[in-house]
Every structure is written in C-alpha cells, then in structure tokens.
Amino acid sequence: MPSIATRDEIRLKTAGEMDAMAAAGRAAARTLLALKEHAQPGVKLTELEELAISTLRDNGARPGLLGYHPGFSQVTYLHATCLSVNDEVIHGVPRPIALNAGDVLGIDLVAVIDGWFADTALTVIVGPTPHNPRAEKLLEVTEKAMWLGIERCWPGSTLGDVGYAIQHHVEKNRFSILKQMVGHGVGTAVHEPGLDVANVGRPGSGMRIREGMTFCVEPMVTAGRGDYKHRKNDPWAVLSKDGSLGAHFEHTVGVTKDGPRILTLP
Ligand code: MF3
Ligand code: CO
Ligand code: CO
C-alpha cells in the first residue's frame, strides 16, 4: 500500500493478543491455500472471490477487506480479496474474467476474528503451463526476499535492516522493488498507523523494532522497472508502468523477544 505513516502511537501487542491475531491468521492462510489450489485455467476471478468469502466463513472469520476504506483511498473496497493478474502487482479487483494457463496471479486477503486482523498474500503461476523460467524466478526471488526481511524482525534491529535485506536480494537478481509501496502495522485494523515497512533501506537506519510490534512484511516486485501506474477507471489496481510481470508475497509478523513470529500460518 502507499505510505500512510503518521506520528500515531504504535500499538504493541501482548503474547495473548498475538495468539488472537494468529487465529485470524490461520483462517487467512487456509483461505489463501484454498484459492491457490482453485486458481486453474478457466476459473473466473469472481469465483475465487466467492470461494474466499465462504472459506473465511467456514474458518470462523470475516473478510477484512470487504467494506474497508483505507486511508490512502477516496473510495471503499467492496471485495474480500485483491486478485492481481500479470502486470497488476497489487490491489487488483476481482472481475468476471477467466484465468489462462501461465497467468501470474497475486492473491491477497485479510481475515478478522474477534476484532483481530491478519493480512497475507502470495503469487502463483496458473497451471498447467509450459516452463516459464522468468516468471518462476520472479516468484522465487520475491518470496525469498520476504523471508529474508522477516528474519531481520528482531527487537533491536531496525526497519532499515528489513528493507535492506529485501532490496538487496531483489536487486541482486535484477528485479525491481515498487519503492512507493510499503508494508504496515496490522492487528486492530488492516492498516494500523505509526509505522511503514519499506522494502528498501540501509542497515541500521529507520525505526527501531520493538517486542510487541505486529506488521506486514510484503515485498512488491516487478520483473522490469519499479515504476507503477493506474488504469483510467480503476482507482485500485497498481500496475507495473512498463507492463512487466509483478509479484507480491506477504505475512503478518509479530516481534517477540525470541524473534519473528509468523502470525499467518495455516
Ligand atoms: N491487503 C492489502 C495490503 O497488503 C490491502 C488491500 S487495501 C484495499 O496492505 F483497499 F485494497 F483493500
Ligand atoms: Co495484504
Ligand atoms: Co498488507
């Protein structure tokens, strides 16, 4: 998402509050996997959206994006998922278009249980498909960058350490970060104010990471350049400006004294 960092207090979470977020995170992760399985050629994005709503419900959760009005937007979001195809990197709106074999599909969703929010995303290549080394590499590098960022989420490290780890891995592989898009605090809302998790940075710079912080680590990467654009009549989808493929992986992470705790596991 675009930066909304303000000077608001950061809401630190107790271990019990992280447990509550992990319950929402389990529903989110299970739903994400159901959609990943179901993302086959001929399936419409709107069918995946319906599957997300029913799977979240079956897991005791409500969709956190449906009816959400983010601070960076003029309008309310009317869907449970963001489904981003090919050059759409993030925030693609579910439409009644069918997937094709070889499409690169980003799936992003938020689950809420008892007022606790968890946000997670992944990107898949819709199969069966001929070997597509460039798309496969893009996904592999973006996911690995997310994990390298997450590994830096220890008390005493900085958000610059996280951003550096992500940026270094992506650029070493000659892909590009969408630099204007950042991760965010999460827990009592989809986007909690107070901190931005940039996907670029310098080691030791930026805000110090503290025990109890809960935020999303979510690199948004393109196979081309790192500039983005919008379509004329769609305020949501963020597309690569040069038409290159995009990828996005995301976990909600809680910082404990023993390091990062992934709160969006199935
Ligand atoms: N889940 C997205 C994120 O990772 C937020 C989507 S905002 C919406 O931050 F408005 F598009 F729903
Ligand atoms: Co998300
Ligand atoms: Co997010």
Side-chain angles (χ1 to χ4, degrees):
M1 57 156 227
S3 169
I4 53 159
T6 62
R7 293 185 156 274
D8 294 47
E9 283 279 306
I10 292 167
R11 293 170 182 266
L12 300 178
K13 314 299 190 299
T14 64
E17 289 171 335
M18 285 190 202
D19 291 342
M21 288 177 65
R26 182 177 309 114
R30 287 178 177 173
T31 304
L32 203 57
L33 291 180
L35 267 63
K36 179 181 175 177
E37 288 292 300
H38 206 74
Q40 297 297 331
V43 172
K44 293 198 172 87
L45 299 183
T46 40
E47 295 172 46
L48 294 177
E49 162 74 8
E50 282 166 32
L51 178 63
I53 291 173
S54 62
T55 309
L56 285 167
R57 187 197 310 118
D58 293 347
N59 282 280
R62 117 179 132 75
L65 296 181
L66 186 64
Y68 174 56
H69 188 160
F72 60 80
S73 172
Q74 308 276 40
V75 279
T76 300
Y77 198 70
L78 298 173
H79 310 273
T81 59
C82 294
L83 300 173
S84 307
V85 181
N86 294 331
D87 58 334
E88 298 176 341
V89 190
I90 52 166
H91 299 174
V93 172
R95 290 152 289 159
I97 57 162
L99 289 167
N100 294 305
D103 278 347
V104 171
L105 173 68
I107 309 170
D108 188 357
L109 55 88
V110 173
V112 192
I113 296 180
D114 292 340
W116 293 100
F117 290 66
D119 183 4
T120 184
L122 55 73
T123 304
V124 291
I125 303 175
V126 176
T129 168
H131 192 48
N132 182 347
R134 186 143 177 91
E136 284 164 18
K137 185 80 183 172
L138 175 68
L139 270 52
E140 178 199 309
V141 167
T142 307
E143 182 172 17
K144 178 75 185 287
M146 173 191 70
W147 287 115
L148 291 170
I150 289 172
E151 275 175 23
R152 300 263 83 83
C153 296
W154 285 75
S157 299
T158 69
L159 290 176
D161 295 328
V162 176
Y164 175 79
I166 293 169
Q167 179 178 19
H168 182 73
H169 187 69
V170 168
E171 293 183 349
K172 189 176 81 185
N173 285 284
R174 301 218 175 83
F175 294 132
S176 300
I177 303 278
L178 280 194
K179 294 199 171 86
Q180 281 115 314
M181 300 294 158
V182 297
H184 50 90
V186 63
T188 58
V190 182
H191 296 130
E192 283 185 350
L195 69 92
D196 268 353
V197 186
N199 294 301
V200 297
R202 279 178 297 115
S205 74
M207 186 182 286
R208 195 142 307 270
I209 295 174
R210 280 140 67 196
E211 185 181 341
M213 284 182 168
T214 51
F215 50 76
C216 293
V217 177
E218 51 173 320
M220 291 151 269
V221 176
T222 79
R225 297 176 57 89
D227 309 300
Y228 72 90
K229 64 180 178 188
H230 289 288
R231 286 197 192 91
K232 257 206 189 72
N233 296 312
D234 176 0
W236 294 108
V238 174
L239 296 90
S240 65
K241 195 170 184 178
D242 60 7
S244 58
L245 291 176
H248 176 217
F249 285 82
E250 172 174 31
H251 272 302
T252 295
V253 176
V255 180
T256 79
K257 68 176 194 318
D258 303 315
R261 175 178 173 192
I262 314 298
L263 301 175
T264 36
L265 294 176

